[in-house]
Amino acid sequence: MAARDGALTGLHGPAPTADLLVQIFDPVGRPRGTGFAADPEGTLVTSHEAVDGAARLLVRAGDAVTEVTGAAITPLPRLGLALLHTRGLGGPRPLPVAAHRAVGRGAYVRIAAGGWREARVLGTTTVTYTASDGPRLLDGALELALGTAGTDALRPGGGAAGGPVLDAETGAVLGVLGTTLHTAHRTAGFALPLTGADGPLAALLARNAATVPAYGADLNLAGAARLTAAASAPRVPAARPERVPRAEVTRHLETFAAPGAHRPHGAAEATEWAEAAEGTEVGGAAVLALVGPPGSGRTTELAALAAHRAAGAEASPTLWLRGSDLLAADPSLSAAASRALARAAVPGGCGAGTPVASGMPGTPCAEDLRPERLARVAREGGRPLLLLLDAPEEMPDASAERLPEWAAATAAWLRTTGARLILACRPEYWERLGAAFPRALLYGPGTPAGRSLPPCVALGDLGFDEARLVRARHGIPDTALAPADARHPLTLRLLAEVRAECPEPGGRPDRHEVLSAHLDLVCLRVAARLTGPAHPRGTAVRRLAAHVAGQVHAAARRCLGPGQGALDEASFALLFSGGATARPGAGPGAPARAGIQVGGDWVPAVLAEGLFVRTGDSHRFAHEELGDWLQGMHLDVEAALDALVLRGASYSAASRTEWYGAARPADGPAGSPPVPPAPSVPPHRIGPVVEALLLLARDRGTAELTYQLGRLVDALEVLMPAEPLAADLRPPPGTPLWWALRLLAETLLRVPDATPYTAVLDRLARRILARYAQARPVPAELGPPLWEAVRLRAAERFDLLRRLVVTDPAPGAPGDPACPRFLDAAARLLTADPAAVQPQLTRWFEDDRPLPATPHATVATAAQALLYTHRHGALDHLTEALADSAHPRGEELLAVLAEEEPSAMRRAVERWERDERPARRAAAVRYAPRARAREAGRALPHRTSPALPAGAATR
């Protein structure tokens, strides 16, 4: 067959092009055979007869010729094959190899022998191959039915040796032609298979499966990765180049996604794991939840993982889904995965239509698009199929109601197929969804402290170094944000966008001000897009931007209604669509004014500027945190708390006066009509309620928020059950107790300064102590992490910790370390900032209450032990704090330090000798002989150190 326009012809329909093959010559230019590339690195496969006895060969691909010598030639005579390692050919394109299936009798194939020809497989047989070192019997050779012309083309020395045999449907290589192979009854029409190999060929075939896509019956790992990428493309957000890797989160994600089963954590989970894995193909962890509040970077981390798995030649199968992709009738996640994969379908099935990768042999079949098949291929290839489910909160209401059944079916599907699932959601949603999965299938370093959550990977603010690097990449000075928001990922990103328009905004904005500035900026961009490039951003455009902002606020009010916080198509069109013209300050469809003609449909402009995104058949705010913040502006807090927590309960005027010290201030001017939430509000819709509480302090003062928090504290006494202390108090999500606990804790943790709410914390501490005295349980939300993280001055914080430390459980008691101890919290704070904490702990010396969890210890001795154990953080500050305390326990500890830390005590004595205060000089006289003698190495009477209470946070 002749070559025409660079393509080999001779077959009906599409045929592989000439750049799929190479020609092999001896040094003087005589043809030795043909070959094809099997990986992107330029490794060629040919027959052994093409290289037999040659130490130097020439390889031509198109117009490029390269020399192959010595170690670059890998003969495999016992297989009748050879490998050539080339560099710099610029081609050919690699062909996929069908390395894991038998070829059926009667199958049609295409062979490269003097052009592309069609042949049929008659079966397999054992052939004789005579090499320069003698004959060999090779098993499993394909016997081909060829015409006369084809038989002539396979004559020895004709250059056809080593040519690929392609499956007519999938385009994958089934074997390699040989021209010197023969049996007793035939001498032509044989090809050697590429199956059952080991050594260099096995490694090459593994690379081929991972890097060269094949579909249909020959679907391989690379094909599975290509299909999942095509199905995910419409939904995967672009990975942000300025993203700073979060080392701990990245480590967990990559460990979970790596090949190999993950064993459970702990003996109890091991038993459950064994039961869950019994009768299934795989076992171990199959679900990882990336849990964090809005704006913490959940989607960013998923997108970075997806980009990492898609990078390089050896991509891993990864399918991206959103909660909005799920339907109410879906029995499990596999149904949504099937629909997503259908987006990658090619009309006509195998052998027809346009391939996923243009120019590559083969096209995907309907069978390829089944997630079960993709999962099997991925598992056999050593890279499990990974499903990324972003924002499962967007799941339809009907699906959310049957969450336990959905989770159980999804878990069974994951166990059976070997696929793995990473989902990213809010803590409130994971609390319910995670409880529905078998615990043995959950991956995570443990339950986050202070949260009644199943195992997960927690995501919060950036670390100090990570935040510093983010600010540097965005050009944001370290002092450009309020300290409480300087490590918040979304705040930093939005501030960077604002600063790009206004490089020197001035001041030190907090999160609220950044969100407000970002909203103004986006609305201005929408207005500029509506008016077109002919109009500068003058007064008229700013008026239009103000009206766009008004429509955005109207959208936020509508999102407060029942449902998942999104706008249906009709509502969205009503808010952002209108007639042919509009004027600034008027609604869509109003007559034009000021010479600005505005198209009636605002939807494209609003979507183009990224203010809203389409999810399924609805629209929602692109940034969930911005949406919560806007909705919180329009929420009636008192009505919301009545509906969610108090169920219409009223508080007397005396209760209001108790919290304010006076009559409750009058409500501010009413804005838009309040939209109180219904009692059936999903727990993950807590965001707008918390934002509304936070806005109270900003808009009406801290007294108003103090009152509302006080209502929640008072409600706890009524809502918390009276059960034995050993009981695990975990209120079901969505119950009044759950809402009260979460709203109280979330709000206290997010206020920039909790000092004005010390009265609330004091009353809450008294309630906890009262319940402890009555042997009643205290929820984890009110445990040590809350008191450790709330933004308080050290004096107020340690006064509260001192009062609560008596409620600590004994080390090793049930629930430890899931329920951390207040003494451990004090130790962590002491380690983090010893100079600030040491004086606070000396105030505990007056408290002689016993610690029930630590025999023979009191609060005072615990403080003494903590200061002694963690003394090396700031020894000089410690000696000063102990001297300032003027307490016998402080003197005891100073005496111990004089023996064990003589250098530090010598420095202290030298300072005190120059001090004008009589007490300091007296201390210098008292401790100078002991410290100087000890430093000089003289023996002194032994003095024991203060006893350390068992388990007093020495870790």
Side-chain angles (χ1 to χ4, degrees):
M1 293 296 170
R4 184 171 62 245
D5 297 331
L8 295 174
T9 61
L11 288 178
H12 298 291
T17 57
D19 62 355
L20 297 177
L21 303 176
V22 299
Q23 293 174 294
I24 303 171
F25 301 88
D26 64 15
V28 297
R30 290 184 298 240
R32 297 283 304 235
T34 304
F36 66 93
D39 66 10
E41 300 172 9
T43 306
L44 308 178
V45 178
T46 187
S47 67
H48 183 265
E49 61 185 273
V51 305
D52 189 22
R56 177 170 168 262
L57 295 169
L58 299 178
V59 177
R60 184 176 71 186
D63 296 329
V65 179
T66 187
E67 185 178 72
V68 181
T69 61
I73 304 174
T74 303
L76 303 171
R78 70 182 186 85
L79 298 174
L81 304 172
L83 306 181
L84 304 179
H85 307 279
T86 65
R87 294 291 185 272
L89 270 180
R93 290 175 293 157
L95 291 173
V97 176
H100 299 291
R101 71 178 177 95
V103 182
R105 184 172 184 176
Y108 283 94
V109 295
R110 295 173 179 177
I111 65 172
W116 287 101
R117 305 176 182 278
E118 188 174 78
R120 291 187 69 186
V121 177
L122 298 178
T124 59
T125 186
T126 299
V127 297
T128 299
Y129 166 54
T130 303
S132 59
D133 59 350
R136 289 180 175 81
L137 293 179
L138 304 178
D139 296 328
L142 300 177
E143 188 172 2
L144 306 175
L146 299 167
T148 302
T151 302
D152 292 340
L154 288 180
R155 68 185 184 278
V165 177
L166 305 184
D167 186 287
E169 290 187 350
T170 68
V173 178
L174 299 174
V176 174
L177 291 171
T179 61
T180 61
L181 307 175
H182 63 88
T183 64
H185 63 282
R186 292 195 65 186
T187 60
F190 295 104
L192 297 174
L194 296 171
T195 58
D198 55 12
L201 181 58
L204 175 63
L205 295 180
R207 287 199 304 275
N208 179 272
T211 57
V212 186
Y215 306 103
D218 297 311
L219 179 68
N220 61 8
L221 187 63
R226 187 72 61 89
L227 287 172
T228 55
S232 302
R235 285 181 168 48
V236 178
R240 305 190 66 81
E242 72 276 11
R243 169 186 171 269
V244 171
R246 303 167 82 163
E248 188 68 11
V249 174
T250 300
R251 180 178 67 83
H252 282 300
L253 294 180
E254 293 184 355
T255 298
F256 174 79
H262 301 286
R263 304 296 296 191
H265 310 277
E269 292 184 13
T271 301
E272 186 180 353
W273 176 85
E275 295 173 353
E278 185 177 359
T280 64
E281 298 181 29
V282 295
V287 179
L288 181 149
L290 188 61
V291 175
S296 58
R298 302 183 312 240
T299 301
T300 299
E301 292 302 316
L302 284 191
L305 177 63
H308 172 73
R309 287 174 63 86
E314 299 187 4
S316 299
T318 309
L319 181 61
W320 183 288
L321 301 168
R322 284 192 68 94
S324 57
D325 293 328
L326 278 62
L327 300 181
D330 287 350
S332 71
L333 188 62
S334 65
S338 297
R339 286 192 300 273
L341 288 167
R343 293 194 290 264
V346 176
C350 288
T354 302
V356 170
S358 179
M360 296 294 287
T363 55
C365 304
E367 180 68 14
D368 297 346
L369 304 175
R370 293 179 60 247
E372 293 78 11
R373 183 164 190 240
L374 289 175
R376 178 180 60 79
V377 169
R379 187 181 69 228
E380 292 174 352
R383 299 181 196 170
L385 171 64
L386 183 63
L387 289 86
L388 304 179
L389 178 58
D390 191 23
E393 298 94 331
E394 298 173 4
M395 188 183 298
D397 292 339
S399 298
E401 293 174 0
R402 39 184 296 274
L403 207 55
E405 295 83 0
W406 181 89
T410 297
W413 183 79
L414 292 172
R415 286 197 302 257
T416 303
T417 61
R420 295 178 189 165
L421 168 64
I422 296 180
L423 55 89
C425 63
R426 301 180 70 128
E428 298 79 16
Y429 194 80
W430 180 240
E431 184 174 357
R432 184 184 177 197
L433 177 58
F437 279 108
R439 193 176 182 87
L441 296 186
L442 301 183
Y443 175 95
T447 303
R451 285 283 200 178
S452 301
L453 295 180
C456 61
V457 175
L459 194 65
D461 282 352
L462 297 167
F464 288 98
D465 292 337
E466 295 166 346
R468 188 178 301 111
L469 185 54
V470 170
R471 291 194 295 269
R473 289 186 178 181
H474 285 302
I476 300 174
D478 289 343
T479 58
L481 265 173
D485 304 309
R487 296 188 293 123
H488 188 258
L490 182 61
T491 301
L492 289 170
R493 175 180 165 187
L494 299 185
L495 179 61
E497 294 183 17
V498 173
R499 288 175 61 88
E501 296 289 331
C502 180
E504 299 297 333
R508 200 174 189 184
D510 58 14
R511 185 185 66 96
H512 170 91
E513 292 165 330
V514 171
L515 290 174
S516 180
H518 172 75
L519 178 63
D520 292 343
L521 174 62
V522 174
C523 290
L524 187 62
R525 288 174 176 171
V526 172
R529 188 180 289 269
L530 290 172
T531 58
H535 299 278
R537 294 184 178 181
T539 303
V541 177
R542 288 197 296 270
R543 292 175 61 191
L544 179 58
H547 181 61
V548 173
Q551 298 303 101
V552 172
H553 279 276
R557 287 196 296 273
R558 287 177 179 264
C559 288
L560 284 171
Q564 303 290 346
L567 292 171
D568 57 44
E569 292 280 2
S571 298
F572 192 74
L574 180 65
L575 287 169
F576 297 108
S577 298
T581 59
R583 60 179 175 83
R593 193 173 68 178
I596 297 180
Q597 299 295 321
V598 182
D601 189 4
W602 292 15
V603 170
V606 172
L607 294 178
E609 291 300 333
L611 189 54
F612 289 86
V613 292
R614 188 187 302 273
T615 56
D617 58 355
S618 62
H619 294 79
R620 62 180 65 241
F621 286 97
H623 299 303
E624 187 178 2
E625 185 174 20
L626 177 65
D628 288 349
W629 175 74
L630 282 167
Q631 293 169 55
M633 291 183 178
H634 303 283
L635 188 68
D636 186 322
V637 173
E638 189 145 356
L641 296 187
D642 284 344
L644 297 172
V645 179
L646 307 171
R647 298 291 190 261
S650 60
Y651 282 78
S652 64
S655 174
R656 300 181 180 220
T657 302
E658 177 182 1
W659 284 106
Y660 280 102
R664 180 187 175 203
D667 291 343
S672 304
V675 185
S680 60
V681 172
H684 61 270
R685 295 284 290 132
I686 192 175
V689 189
V690 174
E691 294 289 351
L693 286 165
L694 294 173
L695 287 168
L696 279 181
R698 175 179 291 274
D699 296 340
R700 304 186 190 178
T702 59
E704 177 68 19
L705 180 55
T706 299
Y707 166 69
Q708 298 296 351
L709 294 177
R711 298 177 72 200
L712 295 174
V713 173
D714 290 344
L716 289 179
E717 189 62 26
V718 178
L719 296 172
M720 285 194 293
E723 297 175 357
L725 185 61
D728 185 14
L729 180 53
R730 293 188 180 184
T735 61
L737 177 57
W738 184 93
W739 279 105
L741 290 168
R742 288 301 172 87
L743 290 173
L744 185 62
E746 291 294 326
T747 307
L748 286 171
L749 288 171
R750 289 188 54 184
V751 291
D753 180 13
T755 304
Y757 314 105
T758 305
V760 176
L761 293 166
D762 177 79
R763 187 157 183 168
L764 186 58
R766 283 189 274 129
R767 292 287 167 85
I768 292 174
L769 289 168
R771 290 187 67 82
Y772 178 79
Q774 298 165 7
R776 295 181 178 182
V778 176
E781 285 79 4
L782 304 182
L786 170 65
W787 307 86
E788 183 180 354
V790 69
R791 296 182 177 97
L792 278 173
R793 293 192 297 259
E796 286 82 1
R797 187 192 313 278
F798 274 84
D799 181 62
L800 292 166
L801 291 176
R802 177 189 61 79
R803 295 161 58 189
L804 293 169
V805 75
V806 296
T807 66
D808 279 343
D816 184 54
C819 296
R821 301 183 301 159
F822 288 96
L823 198 59
D824 294 330
R828 286 190 293 271
L829 293 167
L830 174 61
T831 303
D833 191 359
V837 171
Q838 287 165 349
Q840 308 306 324
L841 282 175
T842 62
R843 299 177 184 177
W844 291 22
F845 290 164
E846 299 289 346
D847 194 335
D848 287 321
R849 290 177 300 159
L851 291 178
T854 309
H856 314 299
T858 65
V859 175
T861 57
Q864 197 179 34
L866 284 177
L867 290 170
Y868 173 79
T869 303
H870 301 280
R871 64 188 182 278
H872 297 292
L875 267 173
D876 291 340
H877 286 89
L878 176 58
T879 55
E880 295 299 323
L882 293 173
D884 286 339
S885 70
H887 193 279
R889 294 193 182 278
E891 294 180 359
E892 290 178 4
L893 191 49
L894 281 172
V896 173
L897 294 179
E899 292 187 13
E900 300 194 11
E901 306 291 345
S903 297
M905 282 304 298
R906 176 184 53 78
R907 293 193 300 271
V909 166
E910 291 174 354
R911 292 193 302 271
W912 296 342
E913 287 174 339
R914 298 190 298 270
D915 201 303
E916 296 181 356
R917 290 171 289 182
R920 283 291 194 275
R921 293 191 175 184
V925 172
R926 189 161 55 252
Y927 295 109
R930 183 177 295 274
R932 288 168 179 161
R934 190 69 176 179
E935 192 173 28
R938 294 197 299 269
L940 291 172
H942 180 67
R943 180 87 175 234
T944 59
S945 63
L948 179 66
T954 58
R955 296 181 293 276

